[in-house]
Amino acid sequence: MFIRNCWYVAAWDTEIPAEGLFHRTLLNEPVLLYRDTQGRVVALENRCCHRSAPLHIGRQEGDCVRCLYHGLKFNPSGACVEIPGQEQIPPKTCIKSYPVVERNRLVWIWMGDPARANPDDIVDYFWHDSPEWRMKPGYIHYQANYKLIVDNLLDFTHLAWVHPTTLGTDSAASLKPVIERDTTGTGKLTITRWYLNDDMSNLHKGVAKFEGKADRWQIYQWSPPALLRMDTGSAPTGTGAPEGRRVPEAVQFRHTSIQTPETETTSHYWFCQARNFDLDDEALTEKIYQGVVVAFEEDRTMIEAQQKILSQVPDRPMVPIAADAGLNQGRWLLDRLLKAENGGTAP
Amino acid sequence: MFIRNCWYVAAWDTEIPAEGLFHRTLLNEPVLLYRDTQGRVVALENRCCHRSAPLHIGRQEGDCVRCLYHGLKFNPSGACVEIPGQEQIPPKTCIKSYPVVERNRLVWIWMGDPARANPDDIVDYFWHDSPEWRMKPGYIHYQANYKLIVDNLLDFTHLAWVHPTTLGTDSAASLKPVIERDTTGTGKLTITRWYLNDDMSNLHKGVAKFEGKADRWQIYQWSPPALLRMDTGSAPTGTGAPEGRRVPEAVQFRHTSIQTPETETTSHYWFCQARNFDLDDEALTEKIYQGVVVAFEEDRTMIEAQQKILSQVPDRPMVPIAADAGLNQGRWLLDRLLKAENGGTAP
Amino acid sequence: MFIRNCWYVAAWDTEIPAEGLFHRTLLNEPVLLYRDTQGRVVALENRCCHRSAPLHIGRQEGDCVRCLYHGLKFNPSGACVEIPGQEQIPPKTCIKSYPVVERNRLVWIWMGDPARANPDDIVDYFWHDSPEWRMKPGYIHYQANYKLIVDNLLDFTHLAWVHPTTLGTDSAASLKPVIERDTTGTGKLTITRWYLNDDMSNLHKGVAKFEGKADRWQIYQWSPPALLRMDTGSAPTGTGAPEGRRVPEAVQFRHTSIQTPETETTSHYWFCQARNFDLDDEALTEKIYQGVVVAFEEDRTMIEAQQKILSQVPDRPMVPIAADAGLNQGRWLLDRLLKAENGGTAP
């Protein structure tokens, strides 16, 4: 069971070609994605209402898609506009159409009540398409429930253990984050960690234009269902970063980590790591991207192994530790939303 | 749950060797098939009643089969005739034996109440072994419930969409078939379509001895559970085919499509396309066979994709269209038979 | 559901390295096995109590193991001794520790109530490490429930059918074994078969130092859950073997066959065939080992095929035969133990 009334990511813009049919399972539902003749993304149930044939082995015809089993044709709103050999088209001859918004190079989809879909609620990822930032989009398929990935992202303790040579530093295990819950009711968490006069991670060292100790920051903004924005960087110690001043030689990144459930035990994961320096250095873009990929494979190895144990021994209790503050708040928010959508009967 | 009191096909005659043990799952049951010393096919439960060892890794001994786990020996009626180290053989030491009839090169099996098995009820496929017809037998394994294949065979609309370059013609999508239900209570459907003064399909064009417009016919006779006989052909327009006259240059075929459930989501499929012309042209036999194979792979791609969606989203309703008349009658007959066998409690 | 209050084998001693983490599923539970700094085997739940990460992708640190997700460290008794970033360690922060005894080159594990684990109850396999005997340890992974293997081992009838060219002889199918149940309440079965003035099996022929007829014996001692000791051999006919005299040229073996459930449909199987002659002949050690492997593959083929039929047709009754006396007693003892552990509610 999944939260439905929220904006999920369905794809990077480049995953959906200018012509032709793309498909993906989201929240256990088969979804068809394609671009109409204006280039706008259309998201439909990937299942003909007639006999359940998948539409992705059908054919795009202008703004519409035709099922290539018996020829029913559907428009972007899911209405059937042609039934071969039949004049009348009963209104129930339709498939689900999902609200879609293309923004910041992401294709956002609303899987819940369409009347509640408000594009203003979409989280801003300006660094994906701002001329002042540069990134390379990434995607990972996960053999694990998306909440295990959320746990991982809202936790800092694991940096020292899972990523000792990539993201982690010795201090990562012991420094307590500051966690703030947004008071406006949107359920957003802000988690802030400052490592003052500390070593940089290897990832930062590799691109920094200074040496020695740094004031490092990790400022997470997380929103349900699984949307992470991160402002992270390192500045030379004592140059005022904690007070809000970011000197030119500071290493600054904006990071994106977004998950959408595929099934109860598999997930989609979109990510990128943007920078605001050396924008035209393509080798650097690739180096940063590969650095993230290496670190994220470290996470994936652990999380998929964790999912296997949870599937094998599903009923053993989990024992909380002090470092769980971030992930506990995330889980609490997800449970609350799921419960709210299901009349208080959800777990 | 499957209809049991009917004749199913278990194999082409050539699938069961003169000596040795063949096995196949039919209606979720493991079945052993072999020929006795007279060459007659024997069908037994492929499971020793002692400890459930499969008999197909046993050994044929004359008309009998011996389990090679503990040595129990069964005769063609399923009775145990030898228990090593034991004189007495209790009557319950037996396995199921299925009535079998070899006819028209097919091995027919009765999986229901043996007392109701009447070979006179077996549908006639004379073109399989008549000297006036020629065919090459075909078999396909399907990752789909057999009823999805029945739906496909009782539907003409899909010819234009699934088979545009093989079986289909532009007119296939719009011409309504005439559907007659047999009044004698056997539940047979006859579906007739005439395409007058129309283009031939590519399959017919490739073998026809005339050019230009044709009067084409497709006369289906379908019987539960999944037995299709088809009389199909093309004659030069205006030579009297619709009135029953078939001129020598007419292209005439008899077609066989038969399914037997393997499991709820997999099926066996036997087919052939017989002709009554150029009987000794082996290249033509192969050409026609390959033409059918290509078209049937088009169906299989669609139907297995449909099964995947049905397995993923099993509870979404199907919306009927006018072209469903044939498949609806087929489904209705199957449901009625299943219900009748189960005291009215079946779905 | 498995019997828990008994000693199971977890591994051969050589399977667990001097340093590093070994893991295996036993009775559906993930188990971690490693050696402490004294070389003693430690068995822990292979699941961190914090978030269910498996510990085998963690790190051994001295006598302890550290989870490499969030850094919790556990000692050999399963107690958490370090939580990064947290001073207090609540007592419930612990994982299961299993009593382990290393004896006769086997690692024995107790999966039930630790208070009831008595190493004196461990069955003696002295020929594994006695200087007077020589063997090569073997392991097989089985796609079958362990009770199907127990059935096989407590049955002699199958020797003639499954192993006609390896272990079996023509007489194996008809000679009745003598079965004795131990009166002390431990549930041990002793099954004895003497083949007087009979042919040797091919396995014995290949190593015997005499030719011609033999008095052969198979003396099984079987204990729940799945522990077989076998004394087997062949002596020249009339040299007094049945009366207890074993002449020097007699072929004498001690055999080990031990199973531990992995899941309901998979099993671990440890075996060896020890001899007390030609101890330093390594080629003979290998020849005997390979002879057993060939015969055991014959069993595995049959038993895994049997498991498939049982999974496909789980509800068909099994018909007993006279030769089932041994396996019936084994099954009865297993059922009784399982029932006793579960308050009489088990099947």
Side-chain angles (χ1 to χ4, degrees):
Chain A
M1 191 181 280
F2 302 108
I3 299 164
R4 301 194 68 89
N5 287 316
C6 58
W7 289 102
Y8 282 101
V9 166
W12 285 111
D13 56 359
T14 47
E15 291 186 277
I16 303 173
E19 283 184 51
L21 304 169
F22 181 81
H23 70 109
R24 181 165 266 167
T25 291
L26 304 171
L27 284 65
N28 266 334
E29 292 184 16
V31 176
L32 180 78
L33 295 154
Y34 66 95
R35 294 183 183 280
D36 69 13
T37 52
Q38 308 298 314
R40 292 169 303 207
V41 176
V42 177
L44 296 174
E45 187 181 0
N46 185 21
R47 170 197 169 277
C48 180
C49 62
H50 173 220
R51 303 296 290 180
S52 290
L55 295 173
H56 76 268
I57 53 174
R59 181 170 66 205
Q60 183 172 357
E61 297 187 1
D63 290 347
C64 297
V65 62
R66 188 187 294 278
C67 178
L68 282 186
Y69 199 171
H70 305 94
L72 278 72
K73 188 172 165 182
F74 299 93
N75 71 15
S77 65
C80 183
V81 293
E82 187 183 328
I83 302 177
Q86 181 173 338
E87 292 297 317
Q88 295 277 17
I89 300 176
K92 67 178 174 182
T93 317
C94 62
I95 58 178
K96 276 195 223 177
S97 171
Y98 303 97
V100 171
V101 174
E102 198 169 346
R103 186 177 296 173
N104 298 143
R105 301 203 50 194
L106 290 168
V107 176
W108 298 85
I109 190 169
W110 184 272
M111 309 283 288
D113 175 7
R116 299 182 55 183
N118 182 355
D120 294 345
D121 295 338
I122 292 174
V123 169
D124 183 26
Y125 285 94
F126 65 86
W127 52 83
H128 294 175
D129 49 4
S130 159
E132 292 169 23
W133 293 83
R134 186 63 38 91
M135 63 87 178
K136 174 178 173 179
Y139 170 85
I140 314 172
H141 186 265
Y142 249 79
Q143 299 283 337
N145 183 282
Y146 82 104
K147 286 188 282 194
L148 298 182
I149 309 171
V150 168
D151 288 348
N152 175 277
L153 291 168
L154 295 182
D155 165 81
F156 292 76
T157 327
H158 81 278
L159 295 175
W161 307 106
V162 176
H163 312 293
T165 63
T166 50
L167 308 178
T169 57
D170 290 346
S171 50
S174 53
L175 184 63
K176 281 202 173 49
V178 176
I179 303 177
E180 298 163 279
R181 198 183 294 165
D182 188 282
T183 55
T184 63
T186 63
K188 193 167 59 185
L189 294 179
T190 300
I191 307 178
T192 308
R193 299 232 301 190
W194 279 96
Y195 307 75
L196 301 180
N197 197 28
D198 195 12
D199 293 325
M200 283 188 278
S201 71
N202 285 343
L203 190 61
H204 286 197
K205 273 184 199 158
V207 298
K209 293 176 177 170
F210 67 97
E211 294 192 343
K213 295 290 183 181
D215 293 339
R216 295 195 295 124
W217 64 93
Q218 293 165 333
I219 304 168
Y220 284 43
Q221 289 179 295
W222 181 84
S223 302
L227 305 169
L228 183 66
R229 293 157 46 96
M230 178 165 43
D231 170 1
T232 184
S234 297
T237 295
T239 56
E243 294 77 34
R245 180 165 165 247
R246 297 193 178 173
V247 294
E249 63 267 39
V251 177
Q252 285 203 60
F253 291 107
R254 293 295 184 279
H255 178 83
T256 300
S257 276
I258 296 174
Q259 297 81 47
T260 299
E262 183 181 53
T263 68
E264 288 290 347
T265 56
T266 60
S267 303
H268 304 287
Y269 189 148
W270 295 270
F271 69 91
C272 73
Q273 178 93 349
R275 71 183 187 279
N276 64 353
F277 55 93
D278 298 339
L279 297 189
D280 296 329
D281 184 344
E282 292 184 12
L284 182 59
T285 304
E286 189 63 26
K287 181 184 175 184
I288 292 169
Y289 173 82
Q290 290 300 339
V292 176
V293 165
V294 168
F296 278 21
E297 283 302 297
E298 293 169 342
D299 285 316
R300 193 169 65 91
T301 298
M302 181 59 77
I303 293 169
E304 293 187 349
Q306 185 191 16
Q307 176 68 61
K308 276 188 193 170
I309 296 290
L310 285 166
S311 295
Q312 183 182 2
V313 200
D315 49 359
R316 298 272 293 155
M318 293 198 187
V319 177
I321 65 173
D324 294 341
L327 70 87
N328 280 343
Q329 297 237 18
R331 287 278 188 145
W332 183 85
L333 287 167
L334 291 177
D335 288 349
R336 193 184 61 159
L337 285 173
L338 188 62
K339 199 170 173 177
E341 282 192 8
N342 292 279
T345 60
Chain B
M1 189 181 279
F2 302 108
I3 300 165
R4 301 194 68 89
N5 287 317
C6 58
W7 289 101
Y8 281 101
V9 166
W12 284 112
D13 55 0
T14 47
E15 291 186 277
I16 303 175
E19 284 184 52
L21 304 169
F22 181 82
H23 69 108
R24 182 165 265 166
T25 291
L26 303 172
L27 284 64
N28 266 333
E29 292 185 15
V31 177
L32 180 77
L33 294 154
Y34 66 94
R35 294 183 182 280
D36 69 15
T37 51
Q38 307 298 314
R40 291 169 303 207
V41 177
V42 176
L44 296 173
E45 187 180 0
N46 184 21
R47 172 196 169 275
C48 180
C49 61
H50 173 222
R51 303 295 290 179
S52 291
L55 296 173
H56 75 270
I57 54 174
R59 181 170 66 206
Q60 183 172 357
E61 297 187 1
D63 290 345
C64 296
V65 62
R66 188 187 293 277
C67 178
L68 282 186
Y69 199 171
H70 306 93
L72 278 72
K73 188 172 165 181
F74 299 92
N75 71 16
S77 64
C80 182
V81 294
E82 187 184 328
I83 303 177
Q86 181 173 338
E87 292 296 316
Q88 295 278 17
I89 300 177
K92 68 178 173 181
T93 316
C94 61
I95 57 177
K96 275 195 223 177
S97 171
Y98 303 97
V100 171
V101 174
E102 197 169 346
R103 186 177 295 173
N104 299 142
R105 301 204 49 195
L106 290 167
V107 177
W108 298 85
I109 190 169
W110 183 272
M111 308 283 290
D113 175 7
R116 298 182 55 185
N118 181 355
D120 294 345
D121 295 339
I122 293 175
V123 169
D124 183 26
Y125 284 94
F126 65 87
W127 53 82
H128 293 177
D129 49 5
S130 158
E132 293 168 22
W133 294 82
R134 185 62 39 90
M135 64 87 178
K136 175 179 173 180
Y139 170 84
I140 313 172
H141 186 265
Y142 249 79
Q143 299 284 336
N145 182 281
Y146 82 104
K147 286 187 283 193
L148 299 183
I149 310 172
V150 168
D151 289 347
N152 176 277
L153 291 167
L154 295 183
D155 165 80
F156 292 76
T157 325
H158 81 278
L159 295 175
W161 306 106
V162 176
H163 311 295
T165 63
T166 49
L167 308 178
T169 56
D170 290 346
S171 50
S174 53
L175 184 63
K176 283 201 172 50
V178 175
I179 304 177
E180 299 164 279
R181 197 182 296 162
D182 188 281
T183 55
T184 63
T186 64
K188 193 167 61 183
L189 293 178
T190 300
I191 307 179
T192 307
R193 298 234 299 190
W194 279 95
Y195 306 75
L196 301 180
N197 197 29
D198 195 12
D199 292 325
M200 283 187 279
S201 71
N202 284 343
L203 190 61
H204 287 197
K205 272 185 197 157
V207 298
K209 292 175 176 171
F210 68 95
E211 294 192 342
K213 295 291 183 180
D215 293 339
R216 296 195 296 123
W217 64 93
Q218 293 166 333
I219 303 168
Y220 283 44
Q221 289 178 295
W222 181 84
S223 302
L227 306 169
L228 182 66
R229 295 155 45 95
M230 177 164 44
D231 170 0
T232 185
S234 296
T237 296
T239 57
E243 295 77 33
R245 181 166 163 246
R246 297 194 177 173
V247 293
E249 64 267 39
V251 178
Q252 284 202 61
F253 290 107
R254 292 295 184 281
H255 178 82
T256 301
S257 277
I258 296 174
Q259 297 81 47
T260 299
E262 183 181 53
T263 68
E264 288 290 347
T265 56
T266 59
S267 303
H268 303 288
Y269 190 149
W270 295 270
F271 68 91
C272 72
Q273 178 92 351
R275 71 183 187 279
N276 65 353
F277 54 93
D278 298 340
L279 297 190
D280 295 330
D281 184 345
E282 292 185 12
L284 180 59
T285 304
E286 190 62 26
K287 180 183 174 185
I288 291 169
Y289 172 82
Q290 289 300 339
V292 175
V293 165
V294 168
F296 278 21
E297 283 303 296
E298 293 169 342
D299 284 317
R300 192 167 69 90
T301 299
M302 180 59 77
I303 293 169
E304 293 187 349
Q306 184 192 17
Q307 175 69 61
K308 277 187 192 169
I309 296 289
L310 285 167
S311 295
Q312 184 183 1
V313 200
D315 49 0
R316 298 271 293 156
M318 294 199 186
V319 177
I321 65 173
D324 293 342
L327 70 86
N328 280 343
Q329 298 237 19
R331 288 278 188 145
W332 183 86
L333 288 166
L334 291 176
D335 288 349
R336 191 183 62 159
L337 285 172
L338 188 62
K339 198 170 175 179
E341 282 192 8
N342 292 279
T345 60
Chain C
M1 190 181 280
F2 302 108
I3 298 164
R4 301 194 68 88
N5 286 317
C6 57
W7 289 101
Y8 281 101
V9 166
W12 284 111
D13 55 0
T14 48
E15 291 186 278
I16 303 173
E19 282 184 52
L21 304 169
F22 180 82
H23 69 109
R24 180 166 266 166
T25 291
L26 303 171
L27 284 64
N28 266 333
E29 292 185 16
V31 176
L32 180 78
L33 295 154
Y34 66 95
R35 294 183 182 280
D36 69 14
T37 52
Q38 308 298 313
R40 290 170 305 206
V41 177
V42 177
L44 296 173
E45 187 180 0
N46 185 21
R47 171 196 169 276
C48 180
C49 62
H50 174 221
R51 303 296 290 179
S52 291
L55 296 173
H56 76 269
I57 55 175
R59 181 170 66 207
Q60 183 171 356
E61 297 187 2
D63 290 346
C64 296
V65 62
R66 187 186 294 277
C67 178
L68 282 186
Y69 199 169
H70 305 94
L72 278 72
K73 187 172 164 181
F74 300 92
N75 71 14
S77 65
C80 183
V81 294
E82 188 184 329
I83 302 177
Q86 182 173 336
E87 291 297 317
Q88 296 276 18
I89 300 177
K92 68 178 174 182
T93 317
C94 62
I95 57 177
K96 276 194 222 176
S97 170
Y98 303 97
V100 171
V101 173
E102 198 170 346
R103 187 176 295 172
N104 299 142
R105 302 202 50 195
L106 290 167
V107 177
W108 298 84
I109 189 168
W110 184 273
M111 308 283 289
D113 175 7
R116 298 181 56 183
N118 182 355
D120 295 344
D121 295 337
I122 293 175
V123 170
D124 182 26
Y125 285 94
F126 65 85
W127 53 83
H128 293 176
D129 50 5
S130 160
E132 294 168 22
W133 293 84
R134 186 62 37 91
M135 64 86 177
K136 175 178 173 180
Y139 170 84
I140 314 172
H141 186 265
Y142 249 79
Q143 299 285 335
N145 183 281
Y146 83 103
K147 286 188 282 193
L148 299 183
I149 310 173
V150 168
D151 288 346
N152 175 277
L153 292 166
L154 295 182
D155 165 81
F156 291 76
T157 326
H158 81 278
L159 295 175
W161 307 107
V162 176
H163 311 295
T165 63
T166 51
L167 308 178
T169 56
D170 290 346
S171 50
S174 52
L175 184 64
K176 283 203 171 49
V178 175
I179 304 177
E180 298 164 280
R181 197 183 295 163
D182 188 282
T183 54
T184 63
T186 63
K188 191 167 60 185
L189 293 179
T190 300
I191 307 179
T192 308
R193 298 232 301 191
W194 279 95
Y195 308 74
L196 301 180
N197 197 30
D198 194 12
D199 293 324
M200 283 188 278
S201 71
N202 284 343
L203 190 61
H204 287 196
K205 272 184 199 160
V207 298
K209 294 177 175 169
F210 68 95
E211 295 191 342
K213 295 292 182 180
D215 292 340
R216 296 195 296 123
W217 64 91
Q218 293 165 334
I219 303 168
Y220 283 44
Q221 288 179 296
W222 182 84
S223 302
L227 305 169
L228 183 67
R229 295 156 45 96
M230 177 163 45
D231 171 359
T232 185
S234 297
T237 296
T239 56
E243 294 77 33
R245 182 167 164 244
R246 296 192 178 175
V247 293
E249 64 268 38
V251 178
Q252 284 202 60
F253 290 107
R254 291 295 184 280
H255 178 83
T256 300
S257 277
I258 296 174
Q259 296 81 46
T260 299
E262 183 181 52
T263 68
E264 289 290 347
T265 54
T266 59
S267 303
H268 303 289
Y269 189 148
W270 295 271
F271 68 91
C272 74
Q273 178 94 348
R275 70 184 187 279
N276 65 353
F277 55 93
D278 299 339
L279 297 190
D280 296 331
D281 183 346
E282 291 184 14
L284 181 59
T285 303
E286 189 62 26
K287 180 184 174 184
I288 291 169
Y289 173 81
Q290 289 300 338
V292 175
V293 164
V294 168
F296 278 20
E297 283 303 296
E298 292 169 343
D299 284 316
R300 194 169 66 91
T301 298
M302 180 58 77
I303 292 169
E304 293 187 349
Q306 185 191 16
Q307 175 69 59
K308 278 188 193 171
I309 296 288
L310 286 167
S311 295
Q312 183 183 0
V313 199
D315 49 0
R316 298 271 294 157
M318 293 199 186
V319 177
I321 65 173
D324 293 342
L327 71 87
N328 279 344
Q329 298 237 17
R331 288 278 188 145
W332 183 86
L333 287 166
L334 292 176
D335 288 348
R336 192 183 63 159
L337 286 171
L338 188 63
K339 198 169 174 178
E341 282 193 7
N342 292 280
T345 60

